[in-house]
């Protein structure tokens, strides 16, 4: 049985106009922006910890943030921690100018503001409001590290994106993607895995799209373009998984509840096959 509140709110969300959704997101009205927008220092802390576990760091590295969410806070924090240069790429979200003065105050050596206008050093910060493919086709430079947080689960065609991710990464570079595997109606984190592709596509998939890929599927996709790929569990919800497991469709299950109950992963990739 589909929970009634899930049914109602999923249908409402599916038909919510983009501008209204964007307004609700910016003002956190029953919606919450990603960690990179809300708390850039916490986002970079997480990146730093996960990269350190793989023997990597930010110092003097050129970094591309895939899907930066409109706020350059995470990019500025990376620069403050020693990154050489950051590329902030997002084809869908316009810059969020509300925080210009706060960011200028927080990073006085890196940013200046005049009203809602934030001025950054173009030699160290590049904004790209286009797809990764367009960035590369227009001569975009390779980087040492590609980072993303809660982005890849929204990509409709990962098979199309991953080759470009390999292409933008230097031969000795790496990637770290933090991926949220939950239904974004967070009260029911495994509900989206209870429906057929047709039902999900026709009735429940939100405009921002959730591709419903599982951890092992992300790993397999990246292994086609990178020689070294691994994923690790970042968060897990065994109780919620057990409540939903009888309804979850077999294609979304590995048979190991320690894997199937994972709700957030960190995917590490290195050695691009280019």
């Amino acid at each position: 049985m589909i929970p009634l509140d899930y049914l109602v709110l999923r249908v409402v969300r599916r038909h919510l106009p983009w501008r209204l959704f964007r307004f609700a997101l910016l003002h956190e009205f029953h919606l919450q922006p990603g960690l990179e927008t809300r708390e850039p220092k916490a986002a970079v802390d997480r990146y730093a910890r996960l990269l350190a576990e793989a023997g990597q760091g930010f110092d003097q590295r050129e970094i591309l943030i895939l899907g930066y969410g409109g706020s350059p806070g995470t990019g500025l924090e990376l620069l403050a921690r020693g990154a050489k240069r950051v590329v902030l790429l997002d084809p869908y979200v316009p810059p969020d100018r509300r925080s210009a003065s706060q960011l200028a105050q927080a990073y006085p050596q890196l940013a200046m503001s005049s009203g809602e206008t934030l001025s950054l050093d173009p030699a160290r910060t590049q904004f790209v409001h286009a797809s990764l493919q367009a960035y590369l086709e227009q001569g975009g430079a390779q980087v040492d590290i590609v980072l993303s947080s809660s982005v890849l689960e929204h990509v409709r065609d990962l098979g199309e994106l991953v080759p470009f991710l390999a292409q933008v990464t230097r031969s000795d570079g790496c990637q770290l993607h933090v991926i949220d595997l939950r239904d974004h109606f967070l009260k029911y984190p495994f509900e989206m895995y209870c429906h057929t592709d047709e039902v999900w596509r026709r009735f429940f998939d939100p405009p921002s799209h959730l591709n419903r890929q599982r951890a092992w599927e992300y790993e397999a996709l990246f292994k086609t373009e990178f020689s070294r790929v691994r994923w690790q569990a970042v968060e897990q919800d065994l109780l919620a998984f057990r409540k939903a497991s009888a309804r979850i469709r077999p294609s979304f299950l590995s048979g190991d509840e320690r894997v199937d109950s994972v709700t957030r992963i960190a995917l590490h990739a290195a050695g691009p096959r280019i």
Side-chain angles (χ1 to χ4, degrees):
M1 179 71 69
I2 302 173
L4 182 60
D5 55 348
Y6 181 91
L7 179 64
V8 171
L9 289 177
R10 264 282 170 244
V11 170
V12 169
R13 171 68 182 88
R14 183 174 177 84
H15 294 91
L16 191 68
W18 167 250
R19 288 186 178 181
L20 186 57
F21 169 74
R22 178 64 179 164
F23 177 85
L25 185 63
L26 286 173
H27 293 83
E28 299 187 28
F29 182 72
H30 294 296
L31 293 168
Q32 190 176 61
L35 184 65
E36 290 194 348
T37 301
R38 299 192 326 268
E39 300 179 53
K41 290 186 178 181
V44 175
D45 282 343
R46 184 170 65 184
Y47 284 141
R49 173 176 56 81
L50 292 168
L51 283 171
E53 293 172 3
Q56 299 285 345
F58 305 134
D59 194 42
Q60 291 304 301
R61 310 299 291 279
E62 296 190 28
I63 301 171
L64 184 146
I65 300 178
L66 182 72
Y68 79 98
S71 172
T74 299
L76 289 170
E77 182 66 20
L78 287 167
L79 292 172
R81 298 198 195 189
K84 181 178 179 180
R85 179 173 174 270
V86 294
V87 179
L88 303 167
L89 185 147
D90 198 314
Y92 303 112
V93 181
D96 176 10
R97 303 187 188 281
R98 299 175 308 149
S99 58
S101 61
Q102 294 95 319
L103 288 173
Q105 291 175 11
Y107 303 98
Q109 304 303 317
L110 299 168
M112 296 178 60
S113 70
S114 175
E116 294 184 346
T117 301
L118 187 68
S119 299
L120 305 176
D121 182 355
R124 301 192 68 193
T125 310
Q126 179 182 359
F127 290 92
V128 179
H129 296 128
S131 67
L132 182 58
Q133 178 181 358
Y135 167 76
L136 289 166
E137 288 176 347
Q138 293 166 12
Q142 289 184 315
V143 296
D144 301 302
I145 301 174
V146 176
L147 302 173
S148 79
S149 178
S150 296
V151 170
L152 292 192
E153 68 266 24
H154 297 289
V155 175
R156 291 186 180 276
D157 192 341
L158 282 166
E160 181 179 290
L161 174 65
V162 172
F164 294 120
L165 288 171
Q167 188 177 338
V168 81
T169 309
R170 293 190 175 112
S171 59
D172 59 348
C174 68
Q175 304 213 352
L176 170 61
H177 302 281
V178 180
I179 306 169
D180 193 340
L181 302 180
R182 299 172 297 175
D183 189 310
H184 286 16
F185 190 144
L186 301 181
K187 182 179 178 181
Y188 305 106
F190 295 95
E191 180 64 27
M192 68 179 179
Y193 300 117
C194 298
H195 306 287
T196 66
D197 288 344
E198 182 179 3
V199 168
W200 178 252
R201 184 176 62 253
R202 291 185 61 187
F203 300 108
F204 297 138
D205 191 13
S208 57
H209 183 60
L210 290 170
N211 58 39
R212 304 194 296 171
Q213 298 288 318
R214 305 298 274 143
W216 57 88
E217 294 176 304
Y218 284 106
E219 181 181 36
L221 274 170
F222 272 79
K223 281 185 174 179
T224 64
E225 300 293 337
F226 293 85
S227 61
R228 301 187 301 281
V229 180
R230 67 177 179 87
W231 67 269
Q232 67 184 97
V234 174
E235 294 175 11
Q236 189 171 33
D237 193 336
L238 189 57
L239 180 61
F241 172 75
R242 287 175 173 170
K243 286 181 178 179
S245 60
R247 296 178 55 236
I248 295 175
R249 299 190 64 80
S251 60
F252 295 112
L253 297 172
S254 71
D256 183 344
E257 71 173 9
R258 294 171 301 178
V259 172
D260 296 334
S261 61
V262 171
T263 54
R264 196 187 303 271
I265 65 170
L267 184 83
H268 300 264
R273 302 181 192 275
I274 299 296

